[in-house]
């Protein structure tokens, strides 16, 4: 069985985007960018909701060709483009870059994928991850908490039907002030 990991940058008050889908507060440092690049390298399959997919696919397919791309960005763009991805959406009809589109029941498909043999999967996007959380499918949470308060927006955690008990696996502070924490779901 695969491990399903939900991780994103978030504000200290728990939002992945400020009102208006503003992510301007999240300017990653080199250390934070390297952390997420290493996470991507260790991931076998990425699962995306439509909004996050549109954000990622608007830049990373050609991110390595940008004139100001750093070596780390070039590496990340190549990893992202080459890795297997699944996008869950009922409003788009085409995806590219080693990606498969699923228009049906996301929880059923995530359950099926999780039951397969293979390496870890990551899940991104608040709506998609929220459905997986409520279904009890997430095995690990990775929070990159930035020292900023935005007061509202898109929450990292959505409303749950039941409590989820977690075990702290790792905590570290990056020089930019971001605190990385990893938790495993207690089963």
């Amino acid at each position: 069985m695969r491990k399903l990991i939900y991780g994103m940058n978030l504000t200290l008050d728990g939002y992945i985007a400020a009102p208006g889908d503003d992510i301007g507060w999240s300017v990653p440092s080199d250390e934070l960018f390297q952390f997420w690049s290493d996470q991507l390298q260790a991931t076998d399959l990425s699962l995306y909701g439509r909004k996050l997919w549109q954000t990622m696919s608007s830049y990373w397919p050609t991110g390595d060709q940008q004139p100001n791309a750093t070596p780390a960005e070039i590496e990340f763009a190549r990893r992202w483009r080459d890795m297997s991805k699944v996008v869950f959406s009922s409003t788009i009809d085409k995806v590219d870059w080693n990606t498969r589109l699923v228009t049906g029941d996301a929880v059923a498909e995530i359950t099926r994928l999780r039951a397969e043999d293979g390496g870890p999967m990551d899940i991104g996007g608040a709506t998609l991850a929220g459905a997986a959380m409520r279904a009890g499918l997430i095995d690990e949470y990775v929070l990159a908490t930035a020292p900023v308060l935005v007061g509202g927006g898109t929450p990292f955690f959505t409303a749950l039907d039941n409590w989820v008990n977690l075990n702290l696996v790792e905590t570290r502070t990056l020089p930019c002030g971001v605190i990385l924490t990893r938790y495993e779901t207690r089963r």
Side-chain angles (χ1 to χ4, degrees):
M1 178 161 57
R2 296 175 188 240
K3 178 189 261 190
L4 182 60
I5 303 166
Y6 175 39
M8 295 186 78
N9 295 334
L10 68 151
T11 64
L12 184 59
D13 52 350
Y15 297 97
I16 60 173
D21 292 328
D22 183 358
I23 58 171
W25 55 266
S26 178
V27 179
S29 67
D30 290 341
E31 298 87 2
L32 181 57
F33 189 81
Q34 189 61 55
F35 172 80
W36 288 120
S37 187
D38 292 345
Q39 290 288 115
L40 186 68
Q41 176 68 26
T43 301
D44 192 45
L45 178 65
S46 283
L47 312 178
Y48 289 99
R50 178 194 51 83
K51 284 174 71 175
L52 184 57
W53 165 253
Q54 288 176 324
T55 299
M56 297 293 284
S57 67
S58 71
Y59 183 80
W60 289 113
T62 59
D64 57 334
Q65 299 164 22
Q66 302 303 313
N68 58 346
T70 66
E73 290 171 330
I74 291 169
E75 180 181 23
F76 184 90
R78 290 178 181 161
R79 286 177 181 169
W80 184 87
R81 193 174 46 238
D82 293 344
M83 77 176 308
S84 296
K85 297 171 282 300
V86 177
V87 174
F88 295 87
S89 176
S90 60
T91 60
I92 59 176
D93 56 10
K94 184 177 187 288
V95 292
D96 293 314
W97 308 289
N98 204 22
T99 305
R100 179 172 63 89
L101 179 64
V102 173
T103 59
D105 184 342
V107 169
E109 181 63 8
I110 294 168
T111 300
R112 186 189 72 72
L113 290 168
R114 192 170 165 265
E116 292 178 346
D117 290 333
M121 300 185 304
D122 68 17
I123 187 167
T127 303
L128 181 63
M133 273 187 250
R134 285 186 297 282
L137 298 174
I138 298 186
D139 300 296
E140 184 176 312
Y141 296 86
V142 179
L143 291 76
T145 306
V148 62
L149 302 170
V150 297
T154 305
F156 179 82
F157 293 107
T158 60
L160 297 173
D161 301 326
N162 300 300
W163 291 8
V164 177
N165 293 309
L166 306 171
N167 291 319
L168 179 64
V169 175
E170 177 186 8
T171 300
R172 75 177 131 137
T173 304
L174 299 180
C176 63
V178 168
I179 298 175
L180 297 172
T181 49
R182 289 181 41 236
Y183 298 90
E184 288 182 345
T185 302
R186 257 191 254 159
R187 302 229 187 255

